[in-house]
Amino acid sequence: MFSSEIYTARRAALRKKIKSGLILLPGNIDASINYPANAYGFRQDSNFLYYFGLSQPGFAGVIDVDRDTDCLYANEWTMDDLIWMGPQPTVREQAARVGVQSAGSLQELAATLNSAIKKGRKIHFVPPYRAETKLQLSAWLGIAVERLKDHVSRELIRAIVSMREIKQPEEIAQLEEVALTGYKMHTTAMHLCREGVSELEIATELERIAAQGGGRTSFRSIVSQHGETLHNLSYEGRLQEGRLLLIDAGAENAMGYASDHTRTLPVGGRFTTRQREIYDIVLAANACGQKLAAPGVTYQSVHQAAMQVIAEGLTALGLMRGDPAEAVAAGAAALFMPHGLGHQMGLDVHDMEGLGEKYVGYDDATSRSTQFGLSALRMGKALRPGHVLTVEPGIYFIPALIEKWEREHINSAFINFPKLHAYFDFGGIRLEDNILITPTGNRLISKHRPPITPDEVEAAMAQ
């Protein structure tokens, strides 16, 4: 937890961005797995965590814009709770830890909101993403669950995005800390990547390292020899020499800040000539993204520049043809990379995505494309100092997609379909780093970059 002064200053800054009314920030509650007392591991709502700092279930915060006050609400522990859990701080004691002077029960919160509604005061809330929160909001505000989306506050969404997307020094320190755990995860995976090892064994080891770092994985790790499936969450395979293992994994620390790296490894420790040819193109696209990302530059343009590197490389190999710039403009290169170059990162591994990508990744000056591939870019707007984002180009040979394009003659002027058939068993390669936009350009978040060049990867695997 940061100092109480940081949370107090954040709430004060948010209050100034909203014209009037109450800002309601519900925290998360425990979610049961298969019976009430057996809950999933608790993860606090990131907006509540950002403004109120407490990582316990059952809390809700209210920021009163008109009266310039804050209040935390939660039910006090019962004797039964204390018997099972031991001594616990009171709600008021918890509130004082984050600079909030007023506290009350959830019943008092319901009464406060009801009174505000009767007086015609605006209640600002953001889109809920959990069923439990939707039910809470419905009960507190008297709005049917299916209509909550019609009442979310776009004013509050924009205000939160404007604050959370620019990382402050104390947040950058957290991101650098958790990046070290991510580094350990990926370098350990390199040592384990040998024939006969199961994908599950590596995924389990990644979870252990993340937990040892004081947190958990920031998302369910992707550990797969079928890298052509972008988010392959199956761990059923055993490693076979000569194949590629794609590992997309990150850690989340005790404060909730995330890392997110991807490396692609040759099972057996050596890239084949064909694998290295494709790998080098992806590595060049990664370098291009990091070279161009700077204040004032749209990430949409950086994405397109990285796509041009991919198109040029694949054209040189004879897998694409024609003018690479025209191929990118036509969307032909998206056959090999049907996702975006990156996303913002912070308290959420896809930072603030629950608020709506059109507010987080785009703005009035930069619109989201409808073109296949480019439309999947989560972060497109102009970069600013303090943005933290991923650079994650890839090349994938997806048989079903290739066959569809060939059958329907999609971008056939730019794709050498007959030659692609030999790559149906290739898989995919993705290389992902995390960068901080600085006043003059960008830098890697991690002080220790997981090995990324082919020679570095092979050397790490040989240890």
Side-chain angles (χ1 to χ4, degrees):
M1 183 182 295
F2 296 126
S3 69
S4 62
E5 289 79 10
I6 286 176
Y7 297 109
T8 298
R10 287 176 178 177
R11 294 191 298 270
L14 180 62
R15 194 180 291 113
K16 291 179 180 179
K17 291 176 178 288
I18 304 298
K19 293 178 182 178
S20 63
L22 297 178
I23 300 169
L24 173 60
L25 294 173
N28 285 332
I29 63 176
D30 279 327
S32 298
I33 299 174
N34 54 355
Y35 58 89
N38 185 24
Y40 291 98
F42 180 72
R43 175 50 158 88
Q44 185 60 281
D45 174 77
S46 294
N47 293 311
F48 182 88
L49 200 58
Y50 185 82
Y51 291 103
F52 287 98
L54 299 175
S55 193
Q56 289 79 34
F59 277 79
V62 171
I63 300 172
D64 192 319
V65 176
D66 308 311
R67 297 172 184 171
D68 198 26
T69 59
D70 307 323
C71 189
L72 267 170
Y73 296 90
N75 292 330
E76 293 290 359
W77 303 105
T78 66
M79 181 54 66
D80 197 46
D81 294 326
L82 298 178
I83 290 171
W84 288 99
M85 301 170 60
Q88 300 292 322
T90 66
V91 175
R92 191 168 294 278
E93 288 170 340
Q94 292 276 60
R97 293 177 63 196
V98 292
V100 177
Q101 304 306 314
S102 298
S105 67
L106 293 180
Q107 185 176 2
E108 289 173 307
L109 170 60
T112 296
L113 295 173
N114 184 55
S115 174
I117 291 168
K118 287 182 177 179
K119 293 177 182 178
R121 300 183 69 193
K122 172 72 174 177
I123 309 294
H124 299 270
F125 64 93
V126 298
Y129 53 89
R130 286 192 176 185
E132 296 89 351
T133 308
K134 292 178 182 180
L135 292 172
Q136 280 184 324
L137 288 173
S138 178
W140 289 337
L141 304 178
I143 301 171
V145 168
E146 62 271 17
R147 293 191 60 230
L148 286 170
K149 63 181 183 298
D150 301 325
H151 294 267
V152 299
S153 171
R154 285 156 184 78
E155 182 183 5
L156 179 59
I157 290 172
R158 292 188 176 95
I160 291 175
V161 170
S162 71
M163 292 182 65
R164 282 186 57 190
E165 73 176 349
I166 303 302
K167 305 302 184 286
Q168 300 304 311
E170 65 273 8
E171 294 184 279
I172 295 168
Q174 291 294 318
L175 289 164
E176 289 174 333
E177 171 194 289
V178 74
L180 289 175
T181 303
Y183 171 82
K184 292 176 185 177
M185 291 166 69
H186 281 273
T187 52
T188 300
M190 291 177 184
H191 302 156
L192 292 174
C193 182
R194 58 184 182 272
E195 187 169 26
V197 175
S198 70
E199 294 170 348
L200 178 60
E201 183 178 344
I202 295 176
T204 302
E205 183 65 10
L206 295 177
E207 291 186 3
R208 185 194 68 80
I209 296 170
Q212 194 176 48
R216 69 192 94 195
T217 56
S218 51
F219 55 96
R220 188 176 171 190
S221 303
I222 298 165
V223 181
S224 177
Q225 294 171 103
H226 285 283
E228 76 279 7
T229 302
L230 301 186
H231 279 179
N232 193 335
L233 298 178
S234 169
Y235 308 137
E236 297 177 351
R238 284 198 174 273
L239 273 55
Q240 299 175 16
E241 187 156 353
R243 298 187 66 179
L244 291 168
L245 179 69
L246 189 151
I247 301 178
D248 188 341
E252 180 182 283
N253 70 3
M255 292 281 287
Y257 288 88
S259 75
D260 183 8
H261 294 90
T262 305
R263 292 295 185 263
T264 307
L265 314 176
V267 179
R270 304 286 293 181
F271 290 100
T272 67
T273 299
R274 188 172 70 159
Q275 289 169 349
R276 188 179 276 249
E277 287 172 344
I278 301 299
Y279 193 102
D280 283 341
I281 298 170
V282 178
L283 183 61
N286 177 287
C288 172
Q290 293 192 43
K291 178 181 179 181
L292 296 179
V297 176
T298 68
Y299 210 51
Q300 197 174 66
S301 69
V302 178
H303 170 99
Q304 291 294 73
M307 293 301 292
Q308 173 124 353
V309 170
I310 288 172
E312 289 170 351
L314 292 175
T315 299
L317 290 180
L319 301 180
M320 294 186 69
R321 55 196 176 199
D323 180 77
E326 292 179 5
V328 171
L335 174 65
F336 304 96
M337 182 177 142
H339 64 75
L341 185 63
H343 51 81
Q344 291 199 54
M345 197 180 72
L347 275 174
D348 308 311
V349 70
H350 286 189
D351 211 20
M352 303 173 287
E353 196 166 295
L355 297 176
E357 286 182 7
K358 68 178 181 179
Y359 301 108
V360 178
Y362 294 87
D363 54 22
D364 294 339
T366 308
S367 300
R368 192 171 198 148
S369 172
T370 59
Q371 186 183 71
F372 177 76
L374 184 55
S375 63
L377 177 63
R378 291 183 166 96
M379 174 63 175
K381 64 186 178 184
L383 301 174
R384 297 165 57 198
H387 275 148
V388 172
L389 60 156
T390 65
V391 183
E392 49 181 306
I395 292 177
Y396 316 87
F397 297 91
I398 307 170
L401 183 61
I402 294 170
E403 289 173 340
K404 173 183 168 63
W405 279 34
E406 184 175 19
R407 184 172 60 250
E408 299 178 11
H409 306 289
I410 298 172
N411 283 313
S412 56
F414 301 107
I415 309 295
N416 189 347
F417 288 110
K419 196 166 183 178
L420 289 183
H421 289 205
Y423 285 78
F424 275 15
D425 63 348
F426 184 93
I429 293 173
R430 180 163 64 251
L431 299 173
E432 177 181 17
D433 287 310
N434 311 149
I435 62 171
L436 166 70
I437 302 302
T438 67
T440 57
N442 72 81
R443 68 169 176 84
L444 290 169
I445 281 288
S446 177
K447 296 177 181 178
H448 299 279
R449 187 187 194 189
I452 192 168
T453 70
D455 290 343
E456 288 173 349
V457 170
E458 291 179 352
M461 294 179 69
Q463 293 178 7

